[in-house]
Amino acid sequence: MGLDDVSQSGKTFERIRSFVLRAGRTTAGQQRAIEELGPQFLIPYQDQNLDLVKAFGGSTKPKILEIGFGMGETTAKIAALRKEDDFLGIEVHLPGVGALLKLIGENQLTNLRVIRHDAVEVLENMLAPDSLDGIHIYFADPWHKKRHHKRRLIQPQFVEKLSSKIKSGGYIHLATDWQEYAEQMRAVLCDEATLQNTGALEGGYAQRPDYRPITKFENRGLRLGHGIWDLVFMKK
């Protein structure tokens, strides 16, 4: 997930993108889930505000957005744990979309919907201001090399956009396993005037909320002594 340079009319400007294209083949099970469950749980991209209540079959539960859910394992676990909330997951990679739809079917989840599109455009065109109760972004690409830092997703203009879509009292929850990126994300979030840090740990980080499961990737990193940093900010 990051930011691209785009050339238009001879001028170059930067455009945030929430994804980086990568190879991957859709399995037969994932494709079957797309075909069978897609009509109910997959929401097409549109250039107008999405009626979130209608999208969830009339549900008025709080709405939580997740950007870049990968293969969807964490998303499905959180949705199963927090049945009192509705979750909208955005991912561009078809195998991940198929994998999450498969998990929706296997776990009989009714509080999850999926959009396969660039999250930046979804935010700009499909989600109304003050329409969300929370946003999750877990382990976004840290773009390790300094010359690539401009491609990182968590930047001031993007965080401002995120905050504009959240209701007062709602939250943004980020997690990363890259300390330098954690420090940058914390600085960007702290500079956003509409947000307030709720983290009580040293450095302003948050204790991992019980609803965010520890992934196999995290467990492997923790065994190797790698850190994990959670950030939870509330909309004022």
Side-chain angles (χ1 to χ4, degrees):
M1 291 188 280
L3 184 147
D4 281 350
D5 292 333
V6 181
S7 179
Q8 187 178 59
S9 302
K11 296 181 180 180
T12 299
F13 63 95
E14 293 179 323
R15 175 189 178 277
I16 293 175
R17 293 181 70 182
S18 66
F19 64 94
V20 176
L21 293 175
R22 62 176 185 268
R25 298 189 66 179
T26 306
T27 67
Q30 292 164 358
Q31 186 60 42
R32 185 164 55 250
I34 292 169
E35 294 170 359
E36 295 178 357
L37 299 175
Q40 181 179 356
F41 296 100
L42 192 58
I43 299 173
Y45 172 77
Q46 59 188 43
D47 284 318
Q48 59 185 7
N49 283 344
L50 175 67
D51 184 332
L52 286 170
V53 172
K54 185 177 180 180
F56 283 87
S59 170
T60 57
K61 296 175 183 178
K63 301 295 188 284
I64 312 298
L65 174 71
E66 181 173 359
I67 294 175
F69 57 74
M71 299 305 286
E73 182 180 358
T74 294
T75 311
K77 287 181 178 179
I78 294 175
L81 182 66
R82 291 173 52 176
K83 296 183 185 300
E84 72 280 6
D85 296 320
D86 289 328
F87 293 87
L88 177 64
I90 304 176
E91 177 61 60
V92 295
H93 301 287
L94 193 59
V97 169
L100 181 53
L101 288 170
K102 189 169 181 286
L103 289 170
I104 287 173
E106 291 171 350
N107 294 283
Q108 298 182 333
L109 299 173
T110 60
N111 62 334
L112 233 173
R113 298 292 185 273
V114 180
I115 297 177
R116 186 191 177 211
H117 199 77
D118 178 7
V120 175
E121 291 190 355
V122 173
L123 278 168
E124 290 176 348
N125 301 320
M126 288 186 70
L127 298 175
D130 305 314
S131 61
L132 300 173
D133 296 271
I135 295 176
H136 297 168
I137 305 176
Y138 300 146
F139 304 101
D141 194 331
W143 291 102
H144 305 94
K145 295 180 180 179
K146 189 170 183 179
R147 68 176 183 272
H148 292 156
H149 285 184
K150 65 178 182 178
R151 300 182 182 180
R152 288 175 169 176
L153 182 65
I154 305 304
Q155 299 189 49
Q157 66 187 101
F158 185 65
V159 169
E160 181 181 9
K161 177 70 69 176
L162 292 177
S163 185
S164 74
K165 305 298 180 178
I166 303 173
K167 300 173 185 176
S168 177
Y171 69 93
I172 296 177
H173 179 193
L174 310 180
T176 184
D177 61 339
W178 192 255
Q179 184 175 4
E180 188 271 334
Y181 195 18
E183 292 168 355
Q184 179 193 321
M185 293 194 301
R186 181 191 59 198
V188 170
L189 291 168
C190 284
D191 284 343
E192 173 53 50
T194 61
L195 298 175
Q196 180 177 344
N197 193 359
T198 69
L201 299 181
E202 183 179 355
Y205 298 103
Q207 189 73 38
R208 178 183 62 84
D210 292 339
Y211 62 76
R212 186 178 75 75
I214 298 177
T215 66
K216 295 176 184 177
F217 170 78
E218 280 185 82
N219 268 324
R220 184 167 63 249
L222 290 169
R223 287 196 299 271
L224 294 171
H226 301 168
I228 305 293
W229 292 267
D230 284 82
L231 291 154
V232 180
F233 279 66
M234 185 181 72
K235 174 80 174 284
K236 297 177 182 176

